[in-house]
């Protein structure tokens, strides 16, 4: 049984994207090669010796690395105080960057009895294309140069091509700030329109963290939204909700 490094696990309300408002189990992986300026979980950039298991009884520290079957057992235990079964709750594998530990993620997905969502930055298209079909839902980020070091445009293109070729159930999330340019948004729209036009796109205004730029204005969001609507894309503005709910 493969072992991997986690950052935390918990049960909460999904606060963004197409699954917004639904109960999700969250399994946050440790380790990420990116350094996005708006990241709200920078602790997960590095693998740690222990990860946190948050439950109604408090927080338990558990040693890394941990076997996939042990992770699934812990996740099921988190549902013990709730009137839902594992089959009724989607498991969200998030990060960090999940694809840094792709085989470990696939093993967890195969052991989980319900749906599993892969949340990924799309920073490694080769690995993505190899394992994406193992998950029920894909939540793919489209990251812009104005909000991170480097340019992932080519990787994102290849990930979307894999979505189209493998006929995956996928949603695309683009975080936007006051520094985002119309060119960055148009590049995403044009490629989605050419490659995977049925993909649901969520424009997510940045949630302010200490070192991030400010979020965009409502006027900027409306401009970018209508640019997508004009291209007959499935696009809407959807901010993060869990900070408003004070949810994890």
């Amino acid at each position: 049984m493969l072992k991997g490094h986690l950052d935390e696990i918990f049960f909460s309300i999904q606060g963004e994207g197409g699954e917004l408002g639904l109960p999700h189990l969250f399994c946050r992986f440790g380790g990420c090669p990116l350094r996005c300026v708006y990241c709200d979980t920078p602790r997960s950039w590095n693998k740690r010796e222990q990860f946190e298991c948050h439950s109604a009884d408090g927080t338990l520290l558990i040693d890394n690395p941990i076997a996939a079957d042990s992770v699934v057992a812990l996740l099921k235990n988190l549902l013990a105080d709730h009137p839902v079964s594992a089959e009724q709750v989607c498991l969200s594998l998030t990060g960090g960057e999940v694809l840094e530990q792709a085989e470990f993620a696939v093993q967890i997905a195969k052991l989980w009895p319900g749906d599993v969502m892969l949340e990924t930055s799309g920073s490694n298209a080769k690995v993505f294309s190899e394992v994406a079909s193992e998950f029920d839902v894909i939540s793919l980020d489209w990251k812009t140069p104005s909000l991170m070091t480097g340019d992932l445009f080519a990787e994102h293109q290849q990930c979307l091509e894999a979505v189209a070729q493998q006929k995956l159930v996928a949603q695309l999330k683009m975080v936007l700030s006051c520094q985002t340019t119309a060119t960055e948004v148009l590049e995403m729209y044009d490629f989605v329109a050419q490659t995977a036009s049925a993909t649901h796109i969520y424009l997510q205004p940045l949630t302010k963290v200490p070192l991030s730029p400010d979020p965009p204005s409502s006027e900027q969001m409306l401009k970018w939204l209508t640019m997508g609507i004009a291209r007959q894309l499935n696009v809407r503005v959807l901010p993060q909700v869990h900070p408003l709910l004070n949810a994890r």
Side-chain angles (χ1 to χ4, degrees), residues 46-216:
N46 301 305
K47 293 179 179 178
R48 301 190 298 149
E49 292 184 358
Q50 294 180 309
F51 69 94
E52 297 174 359
C53 177
H54 305 285
S55 70
D57 297 325
T59 297
L60 182 66
L61 292 177
I62 301 173
D63 289 341
N64 276 315
I66 183 171
D69 57 349
S70 297
V71 174
V72 170
L74 287 169
L75 291 165
K76 289 181 177 179
N77 286 340
L78 291 180
L79 297 179
D81 294 329
H82 301 275
V84 288
S85 67
E87 291 80 5
Q88 295 174 299
V89 175
C90 184
L91 169 60
S92 177
L93 304 183
T94 186
E97 174 48 62
V98 177
L99 295 184
E100 292 285 290
Q101 303 179 74
E103 291 184 25
F104 181 53
V106 167
Q107 197 160 73
I108 292 173
K110 288 181 176 180
L111 292 171
W112 186 252
D115 286 345
V116 179
M117 181 167 76
L118 169 66
E119 295 191 57
T120 177
S121 66
S123 58
N124 191 326
K126 181 178 184 299
V127 173
F128 177 85
S129 64
E130 291 171 351
V131 304
S133 62
E134 300 289 347
F135 306 94
D136 301 288
V137 183
I138 304 295
S139 180
L140 178 65
D141 283 357
W142 187 286
K143 296 185 180 292
T144 62
S146 61
L147 289 174
M148 60 170 290
T149 301
D151 189 344
L152 293 176
F153 186 74
E155 296 293 327
H156 292 335
Q157 285 181 313
Q158 292 171 47
C159 286
L160 268 181
E161 287 170 350
V163 166
Q165 292 165 4
Q166 299 180 35
K167 298 180 180 179
L168 304 174
V169 177
Q171 61 185 30
L172 187 68
K173 181 182 68 182
M174 187 179 197
V175 175
L176 306 168
S177 80
C178 64
Q179 297 177 359
T180 301
T181 67
T183 299
E184 289 176 321
V185 179
L186 282 172
E187 285 179 340
M188 179 270 290
Y189 281 156
D190 289 343
F191 194 77
V192 173
Q194 295 167 14
T195 310
S197 60
T199 303
H200 287 262
I201 303 167
Y202 297 97
L203 303 181
Q204 182 174 298
L206 176 149
T207 300
K208 180 72 175 171
V209 296
L211 296 180
S212 74
D214 289 329

Side-chain angles (χ1 to χ4, degrees), residues 7-19:
D7 184 75
E8 61 179 348
I9 60 173
F10 56 96
F11 184 43
S12 188
I13 300 168
Q14 177 60 256
E16 58 187 43
E19 297 286 301

